[in-house]
Amino acid sequence: MSIIETKKLNYYYQDGDMQRYILRDVSISFEKGQFYTIVGESGSGKTTFLAMVAGLDVPKEGQVLFEETDIQTIGLENYRRNKISIVFQNNNLVPYLTAIENVLVAMAITDNTLPDDQKTVAYNLLDYIGITREKADRLVSELSGGEQQRIAIARALATNSDVILADEPTGNLDEEREGEIVEIFKRLAHDNQKAVIVVTHSQEVAEKSDVTYRLKKGNLINE
Amino acid sequence: MNFFNRAIRSVTRQKSKSLILFAVIFVLGNILAGSVIIQQSTQNVEKTTKEQMGAIATVGIDWSDTKRQKEMESMTNADYSALTEKIIQKIAASPYVKNYDYSEQTGFESKLLKPYDPVADKKAEDKKLTDNEVDGGFSNTYMPIRGVQDPKMMDIALGKIKLAEGSVFTADDVKKGTNVVLISKKFADKNGFHVGDEMTIDQSTQGLDDADNAESQPENTKSFDTKVKIIGTYDVLEAVQKKSGQSGKASSDSVVYAAAFPGGSGQEAFDFDNYNTIYMPNKAVHQMTQGFRQMLMADYPEMMAGMSVEDAEAASKPYYTPIFQLKSVDDLEKFKADTKPMLPKFFSVMASIDEFDNIAGQFNKLSKIAKAVIIAAVLLSIVLILLVILLFMRDRKRELGIYLSLGDKKSNVILQIMVEVLTVAIIALVISLITGKFLGSFASEAFLSSDNSESVNGGMMSGSMMSSSAMFSTGVAVDATTIAANYAVSFTPFYIVTYLLAGLGTVIVSVLLSTLYIFKLKPKKILLG
């Protein structure tokens, strides 16, 4: 059973009488335990697609279903808080908080049931994605780009949601770091039974995913 | 790591932002605190001074009212009706009246009695000089006589005088109009009188003669003599002397006061009256004044020429000045309203505190300025704090977007901003509570000193005129200096609570307005754009 399914997603901007389509009739379904990539050129609509699936925007037409329920029925805020986790290209961490505090913020926001000792869990998550305890207690602004992206992934894992969405998570990393992050995503999908959906322009990342969808001028092309 | 913990970390770890916000709130807080404390001090001074002036009212014709003066000039006998004992008693039945008396008042120039001059005689007492060696201080010799209806005596009840020796009047004395008097101890000592002695009140024609008339000689003056028995002596109470001394000193220094009372200080006249007033039953006063009037009619027929029968008849009736001591200063307005319909034409209720606004003009002005500054400071604070918060939120747009993308409730994000701003604001407001007090003291002192000099140079009377309570003979002279002495900028629980509520209220309004920005935030644009 798919965990997320998009049904004929349409998104466009009104330009006078014209409708400029960003996405046109995009229907995809995603399942747990799979590592998906959405690829496409700049302006292909992949980020807009991710925004729809992440509940950061609503389609003009069509639906995004989470376990067969329209996410607008769940409530976009509630959906983001409890059903999915997002990793952004620029990691988007709170700069005046330490690594561990950034993870704890997400844990405090979600309504999902989490273990009582959240701090220990957060340290373990950071350790799992390669952030030592010493670095976990540092302000994120004192850490490298790769380390910050790992912390963003740890934060995404902290809410215990089944879906991880990532927007160009390796865009600012070198090849070695990119490989490490991709490995983490694969592990999360295969070992932790998460549905990992990564939007990327990197062919290398796409090649390592289980399923790749390509968007071209807003239309879905199966690879 | 809930919104509260995030807020505290934001305040402590983003020090430069916190300091800027602190500085803005601190500066605005000082303006607000200064104006709140000035406003409050002016309110306190009004309350204290009005309490000092006493809840005293009288009924009479207000000659200071120019409109009333014009009406009186065109008044005919038919228009005039006197304030009778019956009306006074009806007014006194008011639930607001605690104590009352009414008095027929007169005075006389004496050739036999020596008045006690508080200034010159005090000097003589201190230096042990004889009368001849003393410089005449205040040249007045007109001694006031005050009729009494209440045997217990209103001036004793008001704390103006206290019985020194002998006794007060009996109900029988008042009823029959016995020729008995109560005089001040100083006056008695000056004239060598003791309780039980007989004294002659010689109402002389001195002063009625034309001063320019060369033929007018002191030996030509006549007098109407009334023999009275001294039943008691009184002391002028220290509180009255002290207040008189205090205000008199300041008044004497004033250029305006010198212009208002040429040849002597009005305060000295007030002190003079305090020591030389002769108290006697109303009926006795009336008999004495009528005797004097009849003597004048016989000896000076030209003075009475042109006087109508009605005028003569009106002059033969007693003219009473009532005095009502109310239960509370707060009752004065209600008492005035209730009394108004009972009054004869041209009469009005005049209260001791009526003069407050005239005397305390500069304080009222200061109070108005402070009120305006409070409103301006609150509005300015709302705008400036709002702008600073908005600026900071724009700077933290990405951070706020992260919280929203993580699914945090907008209310939590608003609460985080609220906690951050309030944490800084509370510290800034508490410190400005103290510094603002000094600012308020400094500002009000600067204002009052500049306004004082303006009053003197500009010839304004408000700064130094004695209050009506002095005129009412209530025993308490209140002038601008007394009011100034009551003006104190100090910490009071009311100031602290008012200021903190106003300050925090302002900050909360600013934060709430700024949260409109949070509602406009679109995490997609911020994080994926």
Side-chain angles (χ1 to χ4, degrees):
Chain A
M1 190 186 86
S2 61
I3 189 159
I4 288 182
E5 188 180 357
T6 63
K7 279 190 173 175
K8 293 197 167 191
L9 277 192
N10 281 292
Y11 197 88
Y12 53 81
Y13 293 108
Q14 200 70 37
D15 186 7
D17 294 338
M18 292 270 290
Q19 287 170 341
R20 294 193 180 278
Y21 275 85
I22 308 295
L23 291 175
R24 194 187 286 268
D25 293 335
V26 178
S27 297
I28 313 177
S29 66
F30 303 97
E31 289 175 13
K32 289 204 274 186
Q34 296 285 321
F35 173 26
Y36 298 92
T37 46
I38 316 281
V39 292
E41 306 283 309
S42 288
S44 61
K46 55 186 192 299
T47 299
T48 304
F49 176 77
L50 186 79
M52 304 293 125
V53 175
L56 293 170
D57 205 346
V58 287
K60 301 285 182 188
E61 289 155 16
Q63 281 180 305
V64 178
L65 303 176
F66 181 85
E67 290 177 341
E68 296 180 345
T69 307
D70 192 320
I71 62 168
Q72 292 196 57
T73 310
I74 297 168
L76 297 185
E77 202 176 83
N78 183 19
Y79 171 73
R80 292 200 302 269
R81 183 159 63 242
N82 302 316
K83 309 296 182 192
I84 58 144
S85 300
I86 315 169
V87 178
F88 298 97
Q89 181 178 11
N90 297 317
N91 63 65
N92 285 321
L93 299 169
V94 182
Y96 58 83
L97 296 179
T98 61
I100 183 91
E101 285 167 347
N102 267 282
V103 176
L104 287 169
V105 163
M107 293 172 96
I109 289 171
T110 186
D111 300 325
N112 291 340
T113 311
L114 299 173
D116 287 341
D117 191 1
Q118 291 187 5
K119 208 164 182 180
T120 306
V121 173
Y123 275 123
N124 290 341
L125 279 172
L126 287 167
D127 186 53
Y128 180 70
I129 49 98
I131 299 292
T132 62
R133 190 159 183 129
E134 184 265 322
K135 284 184 177 171
D137 290 328
R138 280 203 222 160
L139 289 176
V140 290
S141 52
E142 294 169 4
L143 301 174
S144 70
E147 285 165 334
Q148 288 185 17
Q149 199 58 291
R150 283 161 191 268
I151 295 161
I153 294 168
R155 185 179 65 187
L157 290 173
T159 59
N160 207 19
S161 60
D162 291 329
V163 180
I164 292 172
L165 304 169
D167 177 38
E168 304 278 10
T170 57
N172 295 334
L173 303 178
D174 57 37
E175 254 178 62
E176 192 185 341
R177 300 281 169 259
E178 181 183 276
E180 286 170 11
I181 297 296
V182 168
E183 280 311 309
I184 292 170
F185 283 138
K186 279 177 82 173
R187 222 161 64 193
L188 292 174
H190 300 151
D191 300 348
N192 299 73
Q193 288 302 299
K194 310 260 180 203
V196 179
I197 304 163
V198 175
V199 165
T200 181
H201 66 273
S202 163
Q203 200 53 43
E204 289 79 10
V205 175
E207 279 168 8
K208 286 173 188 166
S209 67
D210 300 323
V211 182
T212 300
Y213 293 106
R214 181 172 291 277
L215 285 170
K216 193 171 184 184
K217 292 182 181 173
N219 294 294
L220 178 71
I221 299 162
N222 282 321
E223 291 279 286
Chain B
M1 189 59 54
N2 58 16
F3 70 86
F4 185 82
N5 291 323
R6 281 168 6 210
I8 297 302
R9 279 165 178 77
S10 167
V11 170
T12 52
R13 291 180 186 168
Q14 301 190 97
K15 290 188 181 70
S16 55
K17 282 192 180 104
S18 302
L19 272 173
I20 291 170
L21 185 63
F22 172 86
V24 170
I25 299 175
F26 178 72
V27 170
L28 294 168
N30 269 291
I31 299 170
L32 191 61
S35 41
V36 166
I37 205 163
I38 290 172
Q39 164 74 2
Q40 209 145 90
S41 303
T42 51
Q43 278 173 359
N44 288 343
V45 81
E46 182 170 350
K47 193 166 175 274
T48 313
T49 309
K50 282 185 174 173
E51 276 165 10
Q52 273 179 8
M53 291 171 110
I56 308 293
T58 189
V59 169
I61 296 166
D62 185 2
W63 294 100
S64 64
D65 183 345
T66 46
K67 197 179 151 204
R68 185 54 50 88
Q69 271 180 19
K70 280 183 184 166
E71 286 174 1
M72 294 293 291
E73 279 166 16
S74 57
M75 180 185 76
T76 63
N77 279 324
D79 291 333
Y80 183 77
S81 52
L83 183 71
T84 61
E85 282 183 90
K86 210 173 167 185
I87 296 171
I88 293 169
Q89 282 156 3
K90 201 174 157 193
I91 295 168
S94 160
Y96 305 118
V97 174
K98 181 181 167 190
N99 202 2
Y100 82 105
D101 197 7
Y102 51 95
S103 168
E104 181 164 357
Q105 296 178 7
T106 186
F108 65 104
E109 293 280 355
S110 176
K111 289 182 74 180
L112 300 173
L113 302 170
K114 285 180 270 182
Y116 174 75
D117 184 335
V119 177
D121 288 332
K122 183 82 175 51
K123 224 183 275 177
E125 280 167 25
D126 293 346
K127 292 183 179 172
K128 307 265 184 259
L129 299 174
T130 64
D131 274 0
N132 298 333
E133 292 168 309
V134 176
D135 294 334
F138 184 61
S139 59
N140 191 8
T141 54
Y142 188 83
M143 282 176 284
I145 297 174
R146 182 183 291 262
V148 169
Q149 193 66 29
D150 178 5
K152 294 193 294 283
M153 294 181 63
M154 180 66 110
D155 281 353
I156 292 179
L158 290 175
K160 180 186 172 186
I161 58 169
K162 73 167 188 189
L163 188 69
E165 287 169 1
S167 63
V168 289
F169 308 105
T170 63
D172 205 43
D173 290 336
V174 172
K175 197 177 167 190
K176 289 180 181 163
T178 317
N179 282 343
V180 286
V181 295
L182 205 74
I183 56 173
S184 82
K185 186 89 175 47
K186 296 278 187 195
F187 178 75
D189 292 346
K190 176 94 178 177
N191 290 279
F193 290 134
H194 298 96
V195 172
D197 286 355
E198 194 176 71
M199 179 177 98
T200 300
I201 295 177
D202 57 324
Q203 292 175 276
S204 83
T205 58
Q206 189 178 335
L208 292 174
D209 299 317
D210 184 357
D212 297 332
N213 189 347
E215 289 175 22
S216 176
Q217 296 298 323
E219 54 268 24
N220 292 337
T221 57
K222 290 186 175 181
S223 69
F224 180 79
D225 295 347
T226 307
K227 292 200 183 310
V228 294
K229 187 184 171 191
I230 300 164
I231 58 162
T233 59
Y234 66 83
D235 284 331
V236 176
L237 281 183
E238 203 180 318
V240 177
Q241 293 176 36
K242 198 177 166 190
K243 282 213 171 62
S244 306
Q246 194 184 53
S247 48
K249 183 182 174 293
S251 300
S252 308
D253 294 342
S254 158
V255 174
V256 178
Y257 211 83
F261 295 93
S265 120
Q267 185 57 48
E268 287 171 10
F270 178 61
D271 291 342
F272 181 90
D273 281 2
N274 282 337
Y275 286 102
N276 294 293
T277 299
I278 298 169
Y279 292 93
M280 63 193 295
N282 268 334
K283 220 169 184 178
V285 175
H286 190 62
Q287 282 162 5
M288 203 168 69
T289 53
Q290 290 308 305
F292 183 55
R293 198 173 70 86
Q294 275 157 20
M295 186 196 84
L296 288 177
M297 282 171 78
D299 295 352
Y300 295 83
E302 69 279 4
M303 278 182 70
M304 301 300 166
M307 186 185 261
S308 68
V309 179
E310 289 87 355
D311 285 348
E313 200 182 310
S316 69
K317 286 179 182 166
Y319 183 91
Y320 290 121
T321 303
I323 187 155
F324 302 97
Q325 184 184 21
L326 305 190
K327 287 171 185 161
S328 161
V329 177
D330 301 331
D331 293 336
L332 266 167
E333 288 310 312
K334 286 176 268 180
F335 173 74
K336 276 185 175 181
D338 286 2
T339 307
K340 204 177 173 187
M342 302 181 209
L343 300 178
K345 200 175 176 186
F346 305 118
F347 281 79
S348 57
V349 178
M350 292 172 282
S352 51
I353 61 171
D354 286 352
E355 292 284 312
F356 179 81
D357 286 345
N358 291 334
I359 304 163
Q362 57 187 349
F363 292 93
N364 290 339
K365 209 193 283 179
L366 186 62
S367 173
K368 278 179 193 162
I369 292 171
K371 209 181 275 178
V373 173
I374 290 173
I375 296 167
V378 165
L379 293 176
L380 188 74
S381 301
I382 289 174
V383 173
L384 286 180
I385 296 169
L386 172 66
L387 287 176
V388 172
I389 298 171
L390 280 177
L391 221 70
F392 286 167
M393 286 211 296
R394 269 192 62 163
D395 199 39
R396 293 169 63 184
K397 197 161 70 174
R398 184 165 284 271
E399 177 200 340
L400 301 177
I402 293 168
Y403 298 135
L404 295 176
S405 74
L406 289 172
D408 203 3
K409 293 172 186 157
K410 284 193 169 88
S411 58
N412 280 345
V413 180
I414 291 167
L415 282 171
Q416 178 182 343
I417 301 294
M418 184 77 85
V419 171
E420 285 180 23
V421 178
L422 283 181
T423 306
V424 175
I426 287 168
I427 299 167
L429 290 174
V430 168
I431 298 174
S432 61
L433 184 80
I434 301 156
T435 51
K437 187 234 167 196
F438 294 108
L439 185 76
S441 301
F442 176 76
S444 53
E445 269 170 32
F447 174 83
L448 291 174
S449 61
S450 74
D451 204 60
N452 262 340
S453 60
E454 213 176 90
S455 295
V456 171
N457 297 331
M460 283 164 63
M461 297 296 283
S462 63
S464 48
M465 276 297 286
M466 280 211 301
S467 80
S468 58
S469 57
M471 309 307 175
F472 283 11
S473 300
T474 55
V476 178
V478 176
D479 65 3
T481 312
T482 315
I483 297 171
N486 289 336
Y487 183 80
V489 176
S490 56
F491 285 111
T492 61
F494 191 65
Y495 157 64
I496 296 168
V497 172
T498 310
Y499 167 62
L500 288 180
L501 283 180
L504 288 175
T506 305
V507 172
I508 289 169
V509 169
S510 300
V511 176
L512 288 177
L513 286 173
S514 70
T515 56
L516 292 173
Y517 180 80
I518 291 171
F519 283 99
K520 276 183 66 185
L521 282 179
K522 297 229 181 306
K524 179 199 163 192
K525 274 192 181 169
I526 302 166
L527 304 171
L528 295 173

